[in-house]
Amino acid sequence: MPQLKQLAWQIFHETLAAIDIPATMQRKLQRKGAVLVCGGTRIDLRNFEKLRVVAIGKAAHAMVEGLALVLAPFVRLEGVVAAPTTTRKPLAGMKYFVAGHPVPNAESWKAAEAILALLKKCDEKTLVFFLLSGGGSALVELPLDPAQTLEDIQKTYQALVTCGAPIEEINAVRKHLSAVKGGRLAAAAHKATKITLAVSDVPVGKEPALASGPTMPDPTTIADAKRIIAEHSLYNRFPPALRRWLDEGKMPETPKADAAVFRDSHFFLLLGMDDLFHPAHHAAEAKGFITCCDNATDDRPVEEAAVFLLEQLEALRKTHVGRRVALIADGEVSSPVTGDGIGGRNSAFVLACLERIAGRKIAVLSAGTDGIDGNSPGAGAVADGETLARAQVMGLEPAEALRRSDAFTFFLRLEDAIVIGPTGNNLRDLRILLAEP
C-alpha cells in the first residue's frame, strides 16, 4: 500500500510540471511580427504608444515572465506586480509588491493604489495586459469607503473567509466593498484597450469570480451582497466603520456587461480546469490506472465530498474488476474553520477519508496546485489504508484534529503532509484517489 501513496505523489508532481506557466504562455500566445494573437483576438502592437502590465495573483511572477518571453524583444514592460512571494527575476519597469493572502496586508493596499495610479494615465493609445490568477482578491485591495483602515479590511476578510459561504458569495460581497474588484480596474482604464489573461482557479463559466473579477463585468448585484451578508450573519462580525458605511447606504453598483468600459476589453483563459484534468488523467493512465475525472464536488462540505468521491471510486472499481482504478477530482471543498489549529481544506479532506479507507487498498491525495493549504505551510496531504492504524499508535485522533482545524499538524506528525512551498501557479485543488483490486 505505501506504493499507492507514492504513485499519488508522482501523479501530482507530473501534473504540476505539465502546467508550467511561461511554457504555456509561449504555446498559447502567438506573436507574428507586431501582431499578437490571443485566442480569437488579434492585436496589432503598432497601434499603441504605451504598453502596461498589471499582474495580480499567486501566479503573477510566472505570468509576467511568460509575457516578457512572448513579447521580447519587441517592447519594454511597465507596470505593477502583486504576489504573495518575492520574484527571483525582477524585470526593469515593473514595481513589485509582496502582498498578503488570505488576508490583505499593507503591501496589498499599496499595490492597489499603485495600480489605480498607473491605470489613471492610460489613454486610447495604451494597451493594458491584466495577468490574473487565484489569490488575487486579498493581494490587491482598497476599500470604496476612504474612512476604512487596513485593520478594518483585515477584520472584514477574516469574517468572510471563516463564515462558511461558497467562494462566489464571498466574492460578491468583496466586489461591492472594493475600489478594485468587480470590473472596477477596467473602469479605471476605460479608454485603454484591455487584455485579461487568466490562470483560473474558479469553475468554468464563473471567470468573473477569479481574483474577484477586477476587469470583468460583475453579474452580482447590491441586493445579492446584502442578502449574503444577512444569510451568513456577517453584519455583526464586520468592523464598526464598515457597518456605518453599510447603514448610510453608500454602496455603489458594480459595472455590468453593457458598460462602455468593457467595449475594448478581451478575456483569454490561459489555464483552466481542463488543463489540470488532462495531465493528471494522462499521468494516472500511464501508470496503469483506468481513470475517470469528476468535478461535481465544488463547494461541497468536506465530509460530503469525501463520501461522494469514495463512492465514485468504489463504483469505478466494481465496473473494472481486477484493475487498478483512479478518480481525479478538482475544485474547492468547503471546510469552515472550527478551531485554532493549522490546516486547510485539502488536508481536512484527506482527514475526512481516513476512517473510510482504513484497511483498504486505497490512497487519497488532496493538494493545492499553489502549494498552499489554508493557514498551513503545506499544500495538502496523502493517506492510505494504513494511515489510521499508524495514527492510532501515535495517539492521534482524526475527529479531534478535524474539530480543531488542525489537519496539517496531524499529517506532519505522520510524515504524510505535502510540503512543496509556493509553486508560482494556482489552478485549482487537485484530488487523486487510487484503488487496487
Side-chain angles (χ1 to χ4, degrees):
M1 265 191 288
Q3 191 205 358
L4 267 188
K5 242 179 6 180
Q6 196 59 39
L7 287 169
W9 259 101
Q10 288 170 11
I11 293 165
F12 179 57
H13 279 286
E14 286 170 28
T15 304
L16 287 183
I19 55 174
D20 178 77
I21 287 171
T24 300
M25 289 181 87
Q26 286 177 285
R27 194 172 69 248
K28 292 193 176 182
L29 301 181
Q30 279 105 37
R31 184 166 68 78
K32 295 163 185 171
V35 177
L36 185 68
V37 182
C38 308
T41 304
R42 292 170 65 85
I43 300 282
D44 192 331
L45 300 171
R46 290 168 297 196
N47 294 338
F48 303 97
E49 292 169 4
K50 292 183 288 189
L51 190 148
R52 299 294 179 258
V53 179
V54 173
I56 303 170
K58 293 177 184 176
H61 296 313
M63 293 183 81
V64 170
E65 186 187 325
L67 184 65
L69 289 169
V70 170
L71 297 177
F74 195 77
V75 281
R76 178 177 172 273
L77 304 180
E78 188 179 318
V80 178
V81 184
T85 53
T86 54
T87 181
R88 290 169 301 183
K89 299 178 183 174
L91 289 176
M94 302 299 291
K95 287 183 187 167
Y96 291 87
F97 296 88
V98 182
H101 184 273
V103 174
N105 62 7
E107 291 281 288
S108 306
W109 185 293
K110 287 177 191 167
E113 290 179 328
I115 289 166
L116 289 173
L118 178 85
L119 298 180
K120 200 175 178 183
K121 296 174 190 163
C122 295
D123 56 19
E124 298 89 342
K125 289 288 186 181
T126 308
L127 174 62
V128 187
F129 285 97
F130 291 95
L131 311 179
L132 301 183
S133 54
S137 296
L139 296 168
V140 172
E141 187 58 288
L142 198 67
L144 280 166
D145 174 21
Q148 286 174 44
T149 63
L150 175 61
E151 192 183 352
D152 290 328
I153 282 181
Q154 290 171 333
K155 285 178 180 170
T156 302
Y157 267 65
Q158 207 59 51
L160 285 168
V161 300
T162 58
C163 76
I167 191 67
E168 309 96 85
E169 293 193 353
I170 291 171
N171 283 344
V173 176
R174 282 171 173 159
K175 289 176 187 181
H176 284 87
L177 307 180
S178 173
V180 293
K181 295 175 173 34
R184 291 200 167 103
L185 288 190
H190 62 282
K191 291 179 181 175
T193 296
K194 299 166 281 287
I195 297 178
T196 298
L197 302 175
V199 171
S200 177
D201 65 343
V202 299
V204 174
K206 294 186 178 177
E207 285 77 17
L210 178 66
S212 298
T215 62
M216 303 278 285
D218 179 22
T220 71
T221 63
I222 291 173
D224 291 327
K226 288 180 175 175
R227 172 183 55 77
I228 294 158
I229 289 167
E231 277 178 13
H232 294 278
S233 308
L234 283 161
Y235 179 85
N236 289 327
R237 296 178 65 191
F238 283 158
L242 176 53
R243 293 205 300 263
R244 272 196 302 277
W245 185 74
L246 291 171
D247 291 343
E248 288 165 4
K250 290 185 175 177
M251 187 190 288
E253 191 52 276
T254 45
K256 303 304 175 205
D258 57 355
V261 301
F262 300 116
R263 199 171 293 136
D264 291 315
S265 193
H266 310 275
F267 179 89
F268 182 57
L269 185 65
L270 271 176
L271 283 169
M273 183 177 71
D274 286 348
D275 298 282
L276 187 59
F277 270 155
H278 288 161
H281 188 278
H282 179 75
E285 294 235 309
K287 288 170 177 52
F289 289 88
I290 289 177
T291 308
C292 187
C293 293
D294 186 289
N295 67 342
T297 50
D298 228 20
D299 286 329
R300 288 206 195 183
V302 64
E303 297 265 3
E304 189 185 306
V307 171
F308 177 81
L309 290 176
L310 286 169
E311 283 176 354
Q312 295 287 93
L313 185 71
E314 191 55 39
L316 200 56
R317 188 150 66 168
K318 283 178 181 170
T319 307
H320 302 281
V321 178
R323 298 291 302 274
R324 283 175 156 184
V325 295
L327 184 66
I328 309 290
D330 82 337
E332 300 179 355
V333 293
S334 169
S335 180
V337 177
T338 53
D340 57 1
I342 301 170
R345 59 181 176 253
N346 286 293
S347 47
F349 173 83
V350 180
L351 203 53
C353 291
L354 277 197
E355 291 187 3
R356 296 177 176 95
I357 66 172
R360 301 168 71 191
K361 292 180 181 178
I362 293 175
V364 174
L365 180 149
S366 185
T369 52
D370 57 355
I372 298 157
D373 187 31
N375 67 352
S376 80
V382 62
D384 62 16
E386 295 173 5
T387 304
L388 181 62
R390 288 172 50 229
Q392 287 168 340
V393 167
M394 295 175 70
L396 298 172
E397 179 49 58
E400 177 63 11
L402 261 179
R403 189 186 63 76
R404 289 189 292 108
S405 301
D406 203 27
F408 174 76
T409 310
F410 180 95
F411 287 112
L412 189 66
R413 287 193 58 193
L414 289 164
E415 298 184 354
D416 282 333
I418 296 173
V419 184
I420 52 175
T423 62
N425 205 329
N426 191 43
L427 283 177
R428 319 198 70 211
D429 295 342
L430 184 66
R431 279 175 283 288
I432 300 163
L433 292 83
L434 307 178
E436 286 187 332

